[in-house]
Amino acid sequence: DGGITQSPKYLFRKEGQNVTLSCEQNLNHDAMYWYRQDPGQGLRLIYYSQIVNDFQKGDIAEGYSVSREKKESFPLTVTSAQKNPTAFYLCASSLRTLSNEQFFGPGTRLTVL
Amino acid sequence: SQKIEQNSEALNIQEGKTATLTCNYTNYSPAYLQWYRQDPGRGPVFLLLIRENEKEKRKERLKVTFDTTLKQSLFHITASQPADSATYLCALDKGDSSYKLIFGSGTRLLVRP
């Protein structure tokens, strides 16, 4: 089955620790995205990548880092510099077409203890 | 400033009625607008896309309109069912070639049996 997977589903982290969230897709999509969603709020773009080995900051990139070494993978690292990391993180992918329908993973809920 | 707004209050309707959700935007000139469904604790799922030169789009019980003069999209679910209860997000492109979407905060729909 084609799709996009995220792991883990739940993640707990102590303050001051870096943590990496996994995102993998087998849809052969060029573009991949990371969003953050807080209760009652919409999705806010953290980073996006339109092609392998290239990525751009979104609206809230501070305290986060990404890499895009393979087309299928776009991991997100939440660093200790992120002041309020507790949130629901969503990864998505899309073809690089004008319609740009995005396919989302199931999400990772990160809680900082 | 650029904004995309959806009614933050939940919409509560009786089964069988038509649900109408609103998405308004300011200071954007999108080429297309999309609607997604999100269930609690899960990633959004794409429903419909409508382009700037289309007035209306239908898919089964769903209908979307797009008025670029009013800068508004309406999302209708006819013959609503309790299974339609979810949060519905609208999203639009920024009118550039970045393949990024800007998401609204969503409207929660509750369909009573």
Side-chain angles (χ1 to χ4, degrees):
Chain A
D1 286 336
I4 181 165
T5 59
Q6 292 184 242
S7 61
K9 188 167 179 62
Y10 298 96
L11 189 56
F12 297 88
R13 181 194 105 173
K14 292 182 179 179
E15 279 192 33
Q17 289 181 336
N18 292 355
V19 62
T20 298
L21 282 59
S22 168
C23 178
E24 304 278 333
Q25 54 99 0
N26 60 3
L27 299 167
N28 200 32
H29 286 170
D30 286 310
M32 297 188 74
Y33 312 82
W34 273 106
Y35 294 93
R36 170 184 173 137
Q37 187 174 35
D38 294 283
Q41 296 191 34
L43 279 63
R44 292 186 289 167
L45 184 65
I46 304 172
Y47 269 96
Y48 66 103
S49 168
Q50 297 190 63
I51 200 166
V52 175
N53 292 322
D54 186 45
F55 50 83
Q56 287 81 39
K57 293 181 179 180
D59 300 318
I60 55 166
E62 185 176 351
Y64 300 98
S65 66
V66 293
S67 63
R68 186 84 188 278
E69 297 176 2
K70 298 186 300 181
K71 188 175 186 178
E72 303 80 18
S73 180
F74 192 41
L76 173 74
T77 297
V78 184
T79 74
S80 56
Q82 168 51 234
K83 298 304 178 189
N84 186 20
T86 294
F88 188 48
Y89 290 87
L90 287 159
C91 180
S93 69
S94 71
L95 289 168
R96 286 203 298 161
T97 63
L98 185 60
S99 66
N100 195 30
E101 167 193 348
Q102 293 191 6
F103 294 78
F104 284 83
T108 292
R109 188 167 299 279
L110 173 65
T111 303
V112 174
L113 304 173
Chain B
S1 63
Q2 296 174 314
K3 289 192 300 184
I4 177 169
E5 293 182 327
Q6 297 183 254
N7 194 338
S8 59
E9 290 186 16
L11 179 62
N12 198 326
I13 64 168
Q14 185 73 41
E15 181 176 8
K17 301 293 186 183
T18 296
T20 298
L21 307 177
T22 303
C23 177
N24 295 299
Y25 60 93
T26 56
N27 294 328
Y28 285 112
S29 297
Y32 52 88
L33 191 144
Q34 303 182 22
W35 284 88
Y36 290 77
R37 169 184 172 139
Q38 185 176 24
D39 291 288
R42 308 187 74 153
V45 175
F46 172 79
L47 296 174
L48 277 171
L49 176 149
I50 186 165
R51 302 181 194 280
E52 61 178 337
N53 60 350
E54 297 175 316
K55 297 291 186 187
E56 182 179 296
K57 201 78 167 281
R58 292 175 184 261
K59 179 183 176 181
E60 299 173 349
R61 295 185 294 111
L62 309 180
K63 184 178 84 170
V64 173
T65 63
F66 192 9
D67 190 325
T68 56
T69 301
L70 292 178
K71 295 188 182 291
Q72 179 182 79
S73 175
L74 299 178
F75 177 80
H76 307 270
I77 305 176
T78 59
S80 60
Q81 304 166 1
D84 295 326
S85 298
T87 296
Y88 292 86
L89 306 169
C90 69
L92 50 81
D93 76 298
K94 295 185 73 174
D96 58 20
S97 60
S98 67
Y99 306 102
K100 293 190 296 183
L101 292 177
I102 308 299
F103 282 84
S105 56
T107 298
R108 187 176 174 203
L109 172 65
L110 300 171
V111 182
R112 303 188 309 273

